[in-house]
Amino acid sequence: MTVETIYAPDLATRYKLPIFLGRLPAGFPSPADDYLEGKLDITKHLVKHPAATFYVRVSGDSMIGAGIHSGDLLVVDRSLEAKSGNVIVAALDGELTVKRLYQKNGLLRLLPENPDYQPIEIKLQQSFEIWGVVTSVIHQL
Amino acid sequence: MSPASPPVFALVDCNNFYASCERVFNPRLNGQPVIVLSNNDGCVVARSNEAKQLGIGMGVPEFMVRDTIRAHRVQVFSSNYALYGDMSQRVMETLQQFCPDLEIYSIDEAFLSLSGFRSKNLSEYAGTIRSTVKCWTGLPVSIGIAETKTLSKIAGGIAKKTPGGVFDLLTCSDRDSVLNQTAASDVWGIGKARSQLLHQHGIHTALQLCHADEQFIRKHMGIVGLRLVMELRGISCLELEQCPPPKKGITCARSFGKAITQLHEMEEAVSNYVTRAAEKLRAEELAVTTLTVFLHTNQFKEVEQYSNSLTLKLPVATDTTHELITAALQGIRKIWRDGYAYKKAGVMFVGLVPASRVQADLFDGKDRTRSKKLMAALDSINERFGSGTLQYASSGIAKEWKATFNRRSPAFTTSWDELPVAR
């Protein structure tokens, strides 16, 4: 495996820094003192709207083509407006389901990403609600 | 916000909060009658609108509505405080985005100060708040707006029955009819005793209370009552309480899942309650000088009745769990009588002082620094791995007396093992 991209650290965020990193009063100050940027917090990276973000467990393989496996953890942000093409969690006929949203010309479909599953056409008489937009998948290797 | 801008308050109230929380994670419950029961699955503490329409009352014991539950397939849940607490925090966080001046009044209610937003159309703003909370958390809320907190409570009650979920008393053309339709007993701060007194003097509605004679109110209800009447007249007397008042006492008391007849079980229960209360104490950086233990039998059952309590003064104020357990157990052994079936026990910590300002006792033989380190380690382990991970042996293992929650839904938002599942 080769490394394709190396990301530069994001220096826009400011963290509270300890005043002295090096030991006092004797000894040399650490040369890294002036460069300390705090630690990277994975939650901050994954969760942009904490009040509106929920974790949902996946069961089944209907979205395997989107890299979503059974047992994976979904980060679901309810504050985002779902757009056609987004992977969403929906409440369909009383069940939570994860699918890709397809919206065009008044047509509403939930698309699986697995040839073994059929697309779901949402009919008027069905109870349907977009529960949230999936922003990340956490997959344990 | 200029200091001269007249006050405006909004009361945001989550509709049928516990029942609505259950629905967010279990969409099958939409449109179904749902009720939530208190500890030990005793009484109804929340009802969906469908359950209210079936005539299931607030606070009624579950066994009294069992026939209705069966006939209408009412969905019944035990209280899931882990879930409700987390959802409440989410609602409050969402509200804070709209209005930094917020008073969390209860688990499902908050007052907002909208004085700085008078240039906006407040009804519209409240509508945006409402739809955002619904979108972000899945929970329906209703919002009442008025120039005093007391009036915003009344407006909130009407908002609940209004299709848009918002009611603005400031723009309401017929305020008198609103107050006339509100029972005096439903006014915020009017309890049972005051309501009876008002009744005797012919005051039945909020409107009558609003126009009541000031001398009469002052004489019978004191300055608090007078303030309440002023609030009804639109003169704001109660401000937003943003920081909770300092705690006067910490109580941990619970009913048992099954009655306790053995002293060792009672000791376990009391150890648990002390442990919990001591955690709260340390979280607030307080220490306690005096503690009260109490126990009683079930007053609602025809069994031999006994109740008692004992107050103990500690030599030195402390926040150390094992010192408090030792004292509480001494107390409970003193008031314990064999031959009774106990329903409830508890501990109360009173005489709270800041932990940093504990007076040292010359003859105090205890190593306080060591205790402090031990408690800090205990708290951090239990916070990290779940409460009760590390506990005192006196708290028992089996805990058969513990309150039962037979129909509790999963901790959908606070436990990795209980997350909602999507297919």
Side-chain angles (χ1 to χ4, degrees):
Chain A
M1 194 179 210
T2 54
V3 175
E4 286 182 347
T5 319
I6 295 172
Y7 293 95
D10 176 11
L11 304 182
T13 330
R14 292 272 167 247
Y15 292 90
K16 283 183 189 167
L17 301 183
I19 300 170
F20 297 110
L21 185 72
R23 288 184 192 187
L24 285 179
F28 294 100
S30 162
D33 262 9
D34 294 341
Y35 300 94
L36 191 74
E37 286 292 334
K39 292 187 188 292
L40 296 175
D41 182 349
I42 192 78
T43 314
K44 267 193 194 150
H45 176 68
L46 294 173
V47 178
K48 302 294 183 223
H49 306 105
T53 300
F54 295 84
Y55 301 130
V56 172
R57 186 76 66 189
V58 179
S59 164
D61 55 3
S62 68
M63 289 297 283
I64 207 124
I68 300 173
H69 300 73
S70 199
D72 282 0
L73 196 68
L74 303 176
V75 180
V76 181
D77 191 336
R78 290 185 56 109
S79 72
L80 303 176
E81 194 189 338
K83 298 193 181 74
S84 191
N86 286 156
V87 174
I88 60 157
V89 169
L92 179 65
D93 292 329
E95 292 251 20
L96 294 180
T97 181
V98 52
K99 295 288 179 287
R100 200 177 286 282
L101 180 69
Y102 176 87
Q103 247 174 326
K104 209 174 180 185
N105 307 329
L107 217 62
L108 196 58
R109 279 189 197 145
L110 292 179
L111 307 178
E113 301 230 346
N114 180 338
D116 296 344
Y117 289 78
Q118 294 297 314
I120 304 165
E121 195 93 39
I122 307 299
K123 297 182 197 76
L124 262 175
Q125 68 270 22
Q126 273 178 302
S127 84
F128 173 77
E129 193 187 0
I130 294 172
W131 201 86
V133 175
V134 178
T135 55
S136 302
V137 188
I138 299 169
H139 177 75
Q140 205 95 46
L141 294 177
Chain B
M1 186 175 115
S2 74
S5 63
V8 185
F9 294 94
L11 175 81
V12 183
D13 189 358
C14 299
N15 303 345
N16 315 327
F17 181 56
Y18 296 174
S20 300
C21 286
E22 298 292 344
R23 276 185 171 161
V24 172
F25 300 93
N26 192 349
R28 195 167 297 157
L29 300 173
N30 288 326
Q32 305 282 321
V34 177
I35 60 171
V36 178
L37 304 176
S38 60
N39 289 354
N40 297 317
D41 295 344
C43 299
V44 177
V45 290
R47 305 158 296 156
S48 72
N49 288 344
E50 297 81 1
K52 287 178 190 172
Q53 274 155 23
L54 290 174
I56 297 175
M58 189 66 173
V60 297
E62 184 264 346
F63 69 85
M64 280 175 65
V65 287
R66 221 166 260 173
D67 289 341
T68 314
I69 290 171
R70 212 169 293 142
H72 298 275
R73 296 205 182 164
V74 177
Q75 304 293 308
V76 184
F77 291 90
S78 306
S79 303
N80 185 345
Y81 291 115
L83 178 66
Y84 310 152
D86 179 68
M87 293 304 280
S88 169
Q89 269 181 21
R90 289 167 183 268
V91 171
M92 301 307 169
E93 253 180 79
T94 309
L95 293 177
Q96 211 130 31
Q97 314 252 340
F98 287 94
C99 174
D101 299 323
L102 163 138
E103 174 189 342
I104 298 172
Y105 180 65
S106 70
I107 193 167
D108 57 357
E109 283 172 292
F111 287 106
L112 313 180
S113 166
L114 295 183
S115 316
F117 300 87
R118 278 211 112 143
S119 57
K120 286 183 194 279
N121 177 332
L122 291 179
S123 294
E124 247 170 54
Y125 194 55
T128 310
I129 294 175
R130 185 173 175 270
S131 57
T132 306
V133 173
K134 171 75 184 157
C135 172
W136 287 29
T137 66
L139 295 169
V141 298
S142 37
I143 303 179
I145 302 168
E147 64 272 44
T148 71
K149 282 167 92 176
T150 306
L151 286 173
S152 74
K153 269 272 199 188
I154 292 176
I158 297 163
K160 223 167 238 185
K161 295 168 210 143
T162 310
V166 175
F167 187 80
D168 184 355
L169 205 55
L170 297 173
T171 55
C172 170
S173 54
D174 195 1
R175 177 174 292 221
D176 279 3
S177 103
V178 168
L179 293 181
N180 197 33
Q181 280 164 38
T182 307
S185 58
D186 286 341
V187 173
W188 190 39
I190 299 289
K192 240 190 187 158
R194 278 184 184 161
S195 155
Q196 264 170 6
L197 175 109
L198 292 173
H199 248 297
Q200 283 162 9
H201 290 84
I203 298 172
H204 308 292
T205 70
L207 186 64
Q208 289 169 319
L209 184 58
C210 178
H211 294 313
D213 177 56
E214 285 174 32
Q215 296 294 324
F216 165 81
I217 294 293
R218 186 189 268 277
K219 188 178 158 214
H220 287 97
M221 291 163 61
I223 191 76
V224 178
L226 199 59
R227 242 181 242 149
L228 195 150
V229 170
M230 289 301 153
E231 284 250 317
L232 285 177
R233 292 178 189 174
I235 301 156
S236 176
C237 303
L238 303 168
E239 287 174 27
L240 221 54
E241 287 175 24
Q242 278 165 295
C243 30
K247 279 214 160 113
K248 294 202 180 82
I250 291 175
T251 302
C252 185
R254 277 166 212 164
S255 304
F256 306 125
K258 73 177 181 57
I260 279 183
T261 54
Q262 303 295 320
L263 177 58
H264 72 89
E265 284 185 317
M266 180 62 84
E267 289 175 353
E268 274 182 32
V270 169
S271 292
N272 275 275
Y273 301 162
V274 172
T275 303
R276 182 70 200 112
E279 281 169 6
K280 287 193 211 168
L281 194 68
R282 290 193 293 274
E284 308 248 347
E285 291 175 19
L286 296 168
V288 57
T289 57
T290 310
L291 74 90
T292 299
V293 287
F294 62 90
L295 45 69
H296 62 74
T297 49
N298 191 346
Q299 291 118 322
F300 300 106
K301 270 196 179 158
E302 286 191 27
V303 291
E304 290 273 323
Q305 298 291 328
Y306 170 68
S307 69
N308 206 347
S309 71
L310 187 76
T311 299
L312 302 115
K313 185 119 181 65
L314 301 164
V316 177
T318 182
D319 63 359
T320 306
T321 303
H322 47 263
E323 282 177 41
L324 292 164
I325 288 181
T326 308
L329 291 186
Q330 275 173 7
I332 208 80
R333 282 171 201 144
K334 275 200 184 124
I335 56 176
W336 172 271
R337 299 283 176 276
D338 279 328
Y340 295 97
Y342 295 94
K343 180 63 187 166
K344 189 174 183 174
V347 293
M348 264 184 290
F349 293 172
V350 285
L352 304 183
V353 295
S356 56
R357 264 185 274 154
V358 170
Q359 297 236 331
D361 181 16
L362 191 56
F363 303 103
D364 180 24
K366 297 199 173 74
D367 185 344
R368 299 277 156 199
T369 319
R370 223 173 135 225
S371 295
K372 202 162 204 73
K373 278 190 190 155
L374 179 62
M375 288 304 110
L378 182 75
D379 289 341
S380 76
I381 287 172
N382 284 333
E383 195 182 316
R384 188 155 160 209
F385 298 104
S387 96
T389 304
L390 204 56
Q391 63 158 24
Y392 285 89
S394 61
S395 295
I397 305 289
K399 304 189 187 184
E400 281 169 28
W401 42 268
K402 236 182 151 171
T404 46
F405 297 89
N406 290 324
R407 288 172 275 194
R408 181 150 63 190
S409 56
F412 290 113
T413 56
T414 52
S415 165
W416 291 115
D417 299 329
E418 300 178 35
L419 299 178
V421 174
R423 274 162 219 291

